[in-house]
Amino acid sequence: MQMRYAPSRDHGGAMAMNDKTPPDENADQAAGGEANPPTLKTIAFMTGLGVTTVSRALKDAPEIGAATRQRVQLVARQIGYRPNRAGVRLRTGKTNVISLVLDTEEQVGGFVSDLIYGISEALAQTPYHLVVTPYSRNNDPLEPVRYVVETASADGVIISRTEPDDKRVRYMTERGMPFATHGRTHMGIDHAFHDFDNHAYSIEAVKKLAALGRKRLALLAPPSNLSYYHHMRDGFADALMEHGLSEVPFPMATVDHSIEDIRKQTVELMRRPNRPDAFVSGAGAGTFALVAGIEEAGFRIGQDVDIVSKQSSKLLHLLRPQLYVVNEDVRLAGAELARAVLGRIAGRDIGALQSLSKPKAVEAYETPGSGKDDTT
Amino acid sequence: MQMRYAPSRDHGGAMAMNDKTPPDENADQAAGGEANPPTLKTIAFMTGLGVTTVSRALKDAPEIGAATRQRVQLVARQIGYRPNRAGVRLRTGKTNVISLVLDTEEQVGGFVSDLIYGISEALAQTPYHLVVTPYSRNNDPLEPVRYVVETASADGVIISRTEPDDKRVRYMTERGMPFATHGRTHMGIDHAFHDFDNHAYSIEAVKKLAALGRKRLALLAPPSNLSYYHHMRDGFADALMEHGLSEVPFPMATVDHSIEDIRKQTVELMRRPNRPDAFVSGAGAGTFALVAGIEEAGFRIGQDVDIVSKQSSKLLHLLRPQLYVVNEDVRLAGAELARAVLGRIAGRDIGALQSLSKPKAVEAYETPGSGKDDTT
DNA sequence: TGCAAGAACTGTAACGTTTCACATTGTGCC
DNA sequence: GGCACAATGTGAAACGTTACAGTTCTTGCA
């Protein structure tokens, strides 16, 4: 698949061998050596054009003749030309990078993996790279964002752990940095986001528990500074009201607490006289702790207590088949978030870049072997 | 914290206002406007030096006077100078990027999150960014690596899912790309790695099961193409021999299979006449499936069957307290891997960049509340 | 025929950095 | 006094790209 350096097409006008200098020592005709990666200059030399023309031709600029354009693009493809990221970035400021800002204390459960995979998938067919920018929950969450903005080290940012009044959102909006949030805000700023509908989730969860005849419900909620705390809590409260159920407050535990803490708090809660007879849980890992605490206090899931839990992995039914679960597709969330930032970067309308993922129905355990068993 | 542009220190020789042009419109003395980020030129202008001198002074080059060096560094610090990554990269080829190459079908369990957090932590105090380069298990694992090498888009690479004869290792070694592997190889190539000692792990696991009086053990192993399959299997076999136990083959399930598949296979295995009375499991998520399968077949953990399992999260004891676990610190692995690549990039000796993490002792469930209870 | 206008292409400069080869001192030594 | 030589600093060029301001043709039209 060898391209000749001075094509003899008698097609465009002056095609005489010109004096353009070949890029460095590439002149030794592809002698099987360690050829440096081709640049615009390489293509310019091969086609006999100027680098400006080549640059333009590759991005379909209108002032380049159709024949030339095709010729350049053909050559570029043949020799596997890839624009040098540093060159582009230096000249234009465009980094082709999306920064995912992550809290490194994030709870277990594959949440982060799935998010990253989802984003990666969406970015795969684009020139964008994904860089992970971590921060510790103890530090200012604004700091990593400020870093990215100040150093202009990404074209777009994805953040999670969104708060109702989120300074990162305000900051990036002010600075004009495209971004998308995992979770919504309530601060009068319109921005791209993807969110799981936790309001609907807790309504469904309560409905399920009501149908099971449960009366006194506790909520294992997110930390109260996060937006989805409010969504989940509001849905919970609304549904309690609607079904005439009461809440057993459980303020000492959130999904951010350690497994150990949640377990302890649950034991304590269950030993109270007015213990709950059901839980709605905001996170899979937390549910592990809930179950442990409940059983340690001497009660049984599905009998004394029912639990509806969100989960992003599929492990809960293996923990206790009696659990009711709602699956949250975090991988999808990642893909949506990527789509959203890319949209913002491309200048698309914010309205089109906001999505809410409705929870599926509450699932009970489906006894295995009920499907077709293929062997023996 | 305002720096004057023409400092009046009568210290170094000629300090007269020179003709060097101020960088773009920064000349309007920090008028509260959107000042562009400072560059070498900015510092050169402020100090009255040439950009070459400034560049040298900042990297402690020997041909710069101590006084000048300090002066430059002071100014740089004051105005918050950060080298422009694109500039450096274009000029030197150095990207200040570490690429983590990940299989996006990776099993659940927070493995990836922890790895990333570990790496991030180690990278935090360096100029390095972490970019995640995904690939699908269906595609050629060499492809993402080739991409990184060909486009020189990172200074170093971390790979996992290492095979005994790993073409990625060969490729990167040939191309001189610094890298570290999560897992060892056996191909006569010396390279940086971090690994968990799975050989020791399965020996400990078998020992534990032997002590419990178990006789017929099955192994939920990694897929046989991966290096640690052999380590784990060899340790398993050695220990069986030593303790005079026998193996019940369990070849139809590996830790890479879906939860569902493992569960099914386990049920089938347990219904055989010569069912195992114990398992050694290579992964936490797999153990969930094992437990489900065992119980579905009508047996009880801790009674009819014992299991020793590796885990990276801390959930197994909440699943069944009767399980025996060995914790694998993946976050540590991440940090070690980062240290290792950085070491390779710095040209350090390979020998110093190989580490093996010994398993801790096999842990039984510690009944909660046995420690100090602080409330009530 | 002359000329304006368009089409097609080009060179130069710039982004911020480092490297190279060179310039300007002052200093020690004979 | 002259000279070599450190010590210290310097401008220019280059990395690969794109934007700007031309330049060279061809073509249409008065």
Side-chain angles (χ1 to χ4, degrees), chain A residues 289-304:
Chain A
L290 280 184
V291 169
I294 289 166
E295 296 183 346
E296 187 183 331
F299 300 96
R300 274 174 305 176
I301 311 295
Q303 205 147 341
D304 312 302

PDB file of all heavy atoms in Angstrom, chain A residues 289-304:
ATOM      1  N   ALA A 289     -25.494  -3.434  54.759  1.00  0.00           N
ATOM      2  CA  ALA A 289     -25.355  -3.080  56.167  1.00  0.00           C
ATOM      3  C   ALA A 289     -26.702  -3.124  56.873  1.00  0.00           C
ATOM      4  O   ALA A 289     -26.811  -3.586  58.016  1.00  0.00           O
ATOM      5  CB  ALA A 289     -24.725  -1.700  56.294  1.00  0.00           C
ATOM      6  N   LEU A 290     -27.721  -2.670  56.181  1.00  0.00           N
ATOM      7  CA  LEU A 290     -29.070  -2.713  56.760  1.00  0.00           C
ATOM      8  C   LEU A 290     -29.448  -4.142  57.125  1.00  0.00           C
ATOM      9  O   LEU A 290     -29.887  -4.428  58.245  1.00  0.00           O
ATOM     10  CB  LEU A 290     -30.103  -2.187  55.755  1.00  0.00           C
ATOM     11  CG  LEU A 290     -30.274  -0.688  55.581  1.00  0.00           C
ATOM     12  CD1 LEU A 290     -31.425  -0.420  54.600  1.00  0.00           C
ATOM     13  CD2 LEU A 290     -30.565  -0.033  56.925  1.00  0.00           C
ATOM     14  N   VAL A 291     -29.267  -5.010  56.163  1.00  0.00           N
ATOM     15  CA  VAL A 291     -29.637  -6.414  56.372  1.00  0.00           C
ATOM     16  C   VAL A 291     -28.879  -6.974  57.568  1.00  0.00           C
ATOM     17  O   VAL A 291     -29.452  -7.636  58.449  1.00  0.00           O
ATOM     18  CB  VAL A 291     -29.347  -7.235  55.106  1.00  0.00           C
ATOM     19  CG1 VAL A 291     -29.458  -8.725  55.394  1.00  0.00           C
ATOM     20  CG2 VAL A 291     -30.304  -6.838  53.986  1.00  0.00           C
ATOM     21  N   ALA A 292     -27.589  -6.701  57.586  1.00  0.00           N
ATOM     22  CA  ALA A 292     -26.777  -7.217  58.689  1.00  0.00           C
ATOM     23  C   ALA A 292     -27.295  -6.703  60.025  1.00  0.00           C
ATOM     24  O   ALA A 292     -27.458  -7.466  60.992  1.00  0.00           O
ATOM     25  CB  ALA A 292     -25.325  -6.804  58.491  1.00  0.00           C
ATOM     26  N   GLY A 293     -27.593  -5.429  60.079  1.00  0.00           N
ATOM     27  CA  GLY A 293     -28.065  -4.834  61.322  1.00  0.00           C
ATOM     28  C   GLY A 293     -29.405  -5.395  61.747  1.00  0.00           C
ATOM     29  O   GLY A 293     -29.626  -5.721  62.923  1.00  0.00           O
ATOM     30  N   ILE A 294     -30.286  -5.522  60.789  1.00  0.00           N
ATOM     31  CA  ILE A 294     -31.621  -6.032  61.090  1.00  0.00           C
ATOM     32  C   ILE A 294     -31.549  -7.450  61.647  1.00  0.00           C
ATOM     33  O   ILE A 294     -32.175  -7.783  62.657  1.00  0.00           O
ATOM     34  CB  ILE A 294     -32.495  -6.015  59.812  1.00  0.00           C
ATOM     35  CG1 ILE A 294     -32.837  -4.574  59.438  1.00  0.00           C
ATOM     36  CG2 ILE A 294     -33.769  -6.830  60.009  1.00  0.00           C
ATOM     37  CD1 ILE A 294     -33.394  -4.399  58.045  1.00  0.00           C
ATOM     38  N   GLU A 295     -30.750  -8.272  60.979  1.00  0.00           N
ATOM     39  CA  GLU A 295     -30.652  -9.660  61.415  1.00  0.00           C
ATOM     40  C   GLU A 295     -29.925  -9.776  62.748  1.00  0.00           C
ATOM     41  O   GLU A 295     -30.259 -10.624  63.575  1.00  0.00           O
ATOM     42  CB  GLU A 295     -29.980 -10.494  60.322  1.00  0.00           C
ATOM     43  CG  GLU A 295     -30.830 -10.528  59.059  1.00  0.00           C
ATOM     44  CD  GLU A 295     -30.261 -11.403  57.952  1.00  0.00           C
ATOM     45  OE1 GLU A 295     -29.069 -11.782  58.053  1.00  0.00           O
ATOM     46  OE2 GLU A 295     -31.004 -11.692  57.001  1.00  0.00           O
ATOM     47  N   GLU A 296     -28.966  -8.912  62.929  1.00  0.00           N
ATOM     48  CA  GLU A 296     -28.249  -8.944  64.201  1.00  0.00           C
ATOM     49  C   GLU A 296     -29.191  -8.600  65.346  1.00  0.00           C
ATOM     50  O   GLU A 296     -29.059  -9.120  66.463  1.00  0.00           O
ATOM     51  CB  GLU A 296     -27.078  -7.959  64.158  1.00  0.00           C
ATOM     52  CG  GLU A 296     -26.177  -8.050  65.374  1.00  0.00           C
ATOM     53  CD  GLU A 296     -25.086  -7.002  65.329  1.00  0.00           C
ATOM     54  OE1 GLU A 296     -24.682  -6.607  64.203  1.00  0.00           O
ATOM     55  OE2 GLU A 296     -24.653  -6.557  66.405  1.00  0.00           O
ATOM     56  N   ALA A 297     -30.140  -7.746  65.041  1.00  0.00           N
ATOM     57  CA  ALA A 297     -31.104  -7.376  66.075  1.00  0.00           C
ATOM     58  C   ALA A 297     -32.174  -8.458  66.246  1.00  0.00           C
ATOM     59  O   ALA A 297     -33.082  -8.320  67.076  1.00  0.00           O
ATOM     60  CB  ALA A 297     -31.762  -6.041  65.721  1.00  0.00           C
ATOM     61  N   GLY A 298     -32.090  -9.490  65.439  1.00  0.00           N
ATOM     62  CA  GLY A 298     -32.980 -10.627  65.647  1.00  0.00           C
ATOM     63  C   GLY A 298     -34.213 -10.659  64.764  1.00  0.00           C
ATOM     64  O   GLY A 298     -35.156 -11.398  65.035  1.00  0.00           O
ATOM     65  N   PHE A 299     -34.202  -9.891  63.725  1.00  0.00           N
ATOM     66  CA  PHE A 299     -35.370  -9.892  62.838  1.00  0.00           C
ATOM     67  C   PHE A 299     -35.025 -10.506  61.501  1.00  0.00           C
ATOM     68  O   PHE A 299     -33.854 -10.623  61.131  1.00  0.00           O
ATOM     69  CB  PHE A 299     -35.883  -8.468  62.655  1.00  0.00           C
ATOM     70  CG  PHE A 299     -36.289  -7.827  63.948  1.00  0.00           C
ATOM     71  CD1 PHE A 299     -35.402  -7.011  64.636  1.00  0.00           C
ATOM     72  CD2 PHE A 299     -37.559  -8.069  64.487  1.00  0.00           C
ATOM     73  CE1 PHE A 299     -35.772  -6.431  65.850  1.00  0.00           C
ATOM     74  CE2 PHE A 299     -37.922  -7.484  65.694  1.00  0.00           C
ATOM     75  CZ  PHE A 299     -37.030  -6.667  66.375  1.00  0.00           C
ATOM     76  N   ARG A 300     -36.067 -10.871  60.785  1.00  0.00           N
ATOM     77  CA  ARG A 300     -35.821 -11.502  59.499  1.00  0.00           C
ATOM     78  C   ARG A 300     -36.393 -10.704  58.339  1.00  0.00           C
ATOM     79  O   ARG A 300     -37.543 -10.233  58.398  1.00  0.00           O
ATOM     80  CB  ARG A 300     -36.389 -12.928  59.499  1.00  0.00           C
ATOM     81  CG  ARG A 300     -35.391 -13.938  60.062  1.00  0.00           C
ATOM     82  CD  ARG A 300     -36.022 -15.295  60.180  1.00  0.00           C
ATOM     83  NE  ARG A 300     -37.244 -15.236  60.976  1.00  0.00           N
ATOM     84  CZ  ARG A 300     -38.043 -16.293  61.178  1.00  0.00           C
ATOM     85  NH1 ARG A 300     -37.727 -17.454  60.647  1.00  0.00           N
ATOM     86  NH2 ARG A 300     -39.124 -16.171  61.915  1.00  0.00           N
ATOM     87  N   ILE A 301     -35.586 -10.620  57.302  1.00  0.00           N
ATOM     88  CA  ILE A 301     -36.002  -9.910  56.095  1.00  0.00           C
ATOM     89  C   ILE A 301     -37.140 -10.692  55.437  1.00  0.00           C
ATOM     90  O   ILE A 301     -37.079 -11.909  55.326  1.00  0.00           O
ATOM     91  CB  ILE A 301     -34.838  -9.810  55.086  1.00  0.00           C
ATOM     92  CG1 ILE A 301     -33.560  -9.296  55.764  1.00  0.00           C
ATOM     93  CG2 ILE A 301     -35.213  -8.920  53.899  1.00  0.00           C
ATOM     94  CD1 ILE A 301     -33.652  -7.904  56.270  1.00  0.00           C
ATOM     95  N   GLY A 302     -38.150  -9.985  54.996  1.00  0.00           N
ATOM     96  CA  GLY A 302     -39.253 -10.639  54.314  1.00  0.00           C
ATOM     97  C   GLY A 302     -40.322 -11.119  55.271  1.00  0.00           C
ATOM     98  O   GLY A 302     -41.411 -11.515  54.862  1.00  0.00           O
ATOM     99  N   GLN A 303     -39.976 -11.091  56.543  1.00  0.00           N
ATOM    100  CA  GLN A 303     -40.928 -11.566  57.528  1.00  0.00           C
ATOM    101  C   GLN A 303     -41.251 -10.414  58.493  1.00  0.00           C
ATOM    102  O   GLN A 303     -42.336  -9.852  58.454  1.00  0.00           O
ATOM    103  CB  GLN A 303     -40.308 -12.727  58.291  1.00  0.00           C
ATOM    104  CG  GLN A 303     -41.323 -13.654  58.886  1.00  0.00           C
ATOM    105  CD  GLN A 303     -40.812 -15.092  58.897  1.00  0.00           C
ATOM    106  OE1 GLN A 303     -39.871 -15.442  58.160  1.00  0.00           O
ATOM    107  NE2 GLN A 303     -41.407 -15.931  59.727  1.00  0.00           N
ATOM    108  N   ASP A 304     -40.238 -10.051  59.279  1.00  0.00           N
ATOM    109  CA  ASP A 304     -40.446  -8.938  60.206  1.00  0.00           C
ATOM    110  C   ASP A 304     -40.271  -7.591  59.516  1.00  0.00           C
ATOM    111  O   ASP A 304     -40.843  -6.591  59.916  1.00  0.00           O
ATOM    112  CB  ASP A 304     -39.440  -9.034  61.351  1.00  0.00           C
ATOM    113  CG  ASP A 304     -39.393 -10.431  61.934  1.00  0.00           C
ATOM    114  OD1 ASP A 304     -40.441 -10.902  62.389  1.00  0.00           O
ATOM    115  OD2 ASP A 304     -38.308 -11.054  61.898  1.00  0.00           O
TER     116      ASP A 304
END
